[in-house]
Amino acid sequence: MRPVIKLKPGSYIKPDGTMIDVLSSYNKYQDAKPALVYNLGMFCSYCEEAYHQQRDLHVEHVQPKGYEENGIKIYAHIEKEWVNFLLSCATCNGSDNKGKKNVVLNECHLPHLNNTFKSFVYKSGGVVEVNPMLRGDAYNHAKRLLDLVGLGKSPEESRPGDTRYRKRSTDWDLALKYRRKYDVGNTDIDTILDLVRNRGGWSIWFTVFKGCDEVRKALLEFPGTARLCFDPDNHYEPIDRNPGLADPT
């Protein structure tokens, strides 16, 4: 899962020269969507699928606005706060009553707080699993994120309409095809980047292009990507985002 950096509230110049404001708080949380798209690109923060219209992406509440304890919505105070937003597709956002599950920030990996590329491994056939190299809290926190959005479900476990597994399988095969083309000089970086922008699957492409420093470096330029999570002196392999903590991932 692509790790990202959230912008701080302020005013920013878009590529077309116009301004966009990132507010610390919004009158309606839906109003944050243009700023989130500018910050993170037109991708689901979890499954990484690419979208081409903003209406197809949801403003995602990291700590869910619907979670209650003793009849009290305990995250109501951050329902409209920028700090609590990511972008999500309808499938990830609606996975297994996700909106009613508690999310404790230091007990669950999240793409804007952890190196979530290090949290998981992506494999052929659409498989995504918790990174077996993680230990203790790091493993448990990564597993909590995987379960939170149902990302590891097989086709048999998935609800009707949940095509994320099939999409990952297709993306994996396509990435392998273009890796072979790239290795023999039959395609270029721009073509690869266009494919990822239009289809998504950032982590799959980053995995398949292991050892291709120039492609990995270009993928790290995608909007909002946390470049600090990758070592440029070691082929952009993932590194700890929070060194010194019990879970440094």
Side-chain angles (χ1 to χ4, degrees):
M1 187 181 294
R2 181 175 70 118
V4 298
I5 291 179
K6 294 279 297 298
L7 291 173
K8 294 181 179 180
S11 297
Y12 297 87
I13 302 175
K14 297 166 65 176
D16 63 5
T18 61
M19 300 293 295
I20 188 164
D21 294 324
V22 175
L23 307 180
S24 58
S25 183
Y26 289 80
N27 291 327
K28 296 187 296 183
Y29 67 81
Q30 296 92 336
D31 293 342
K33 190 184 292 186
L36 286 165
V37 168
Y38 169 72
N39 185 174
L40 305 175
M42 292 281 285
F43 307 98
C44 175
S45 300
Y46 300 114
C47 72
E48 303 179 337
E49 185 162 353
Y51 289 85
H52 304 287
Q53 298 187 70
Q54 288 191 25
R55 68 186 182 194
D56 295 326
L57 284 164
H58 294 197
V59 175
E60 149 75 355
H61 291 83
V62 177
Q63 293 185 292
K65 63 184 189 298
Y67 178 72
E68 295 185 0
E69 290 183 359
N70 301 318
I72 299 173
K73 293 183 178 180
I74 67 169
Y75 298 121
H77 63 293
I78 52 173
E79 179 180 345
K80 302 174 184 178
E81 301 295 306
W82 171 257
V83 70
N84 196 39
F85 299 151
L86 288 172
L87 285 170
S88 177
C89 68
T91 303
C92 288
N93 199 28
S95 176
D96 295 337
N97 294 314
K98 173 184 170 294
K100 296 183 179 180
K101 294 179 180 178
N102 194 13
V103 175
V104 180
L105 298 184
N106 63 358
E107 295 180 1
C108 179
H109 283 179
L110 293 162
H112 63 308
L113 300 178
N114 301 91
N115 185 352
T116 41
F117 183 78
K118 194 174 180 182
S119 301
F120 306 124
V121 291
Y122 290 76
K123 300 179 180 179
S124 64
V127 176
V128 55
E129 299 173 338
V130 175
N131 183 352
M133 299 301 292
L134 298 181
R135 296 289 183 267
D137 286 344
Y139 185 94
N140 294 331
H141 298 169
K143 180 68 161 55
R144 194 162 287 131
L145 174 58
L146 194 76
D147 293 342
L148 180 70
V149 295
L151 204 59
K153 288 184 175 181
S154 68
E156 295 75 24
E157 297 169 324
S158 300
R159 292 179 178 180
D162 182 354
T163 60
R164 294 175 297 176
Y165 199 101
R166 184 163 65 246
K167 173 68 164 47
R168 287 196 303 268
S169 181
T170 302
D171 285 343
W172 182 274
D173 292 343
L174 189 65
L176 283 180
K177 175 182 176 180
Y178 276 84
R179 172 67 195 258
R180 290 191 289 267
K181 284 176 173 284
Y182 187 80
D183 286 345
V184 297
N186 285 342
T187 193
D188 57 18
I189 292 178
D190 286 342
T191 300
I192 293 165
L193 297 182
D194 285 343
L195 284 166
V196 185
R197 289 190 192 100
N198 281 284
R199 294 188 55 85
W202 187 95
S203 291
I204 288 172
W205 291 82
F206 202 85
T207 297
V208 168
F209 277 85
K210 180 182 177 71
C212 290
D213 289 9
E214 59 277 15
V215 174
R216 280 191 155 188
K217 181 180 180 181
L219 288 170
L220 290 175
E221 297 301 320
F222 273 46
T225 305
R227 295 190 292 272
L228 59 89
C229 290
F230 301 89
D231 184 358
D233 297 322
N234 185 31
H235 309 291
Y236 298 98
E237 285 295 289
I239 55 178
D240 289 336
R241 186 171 187 171
N242 302 294
L245 299 184
D247 175 6
T249 306

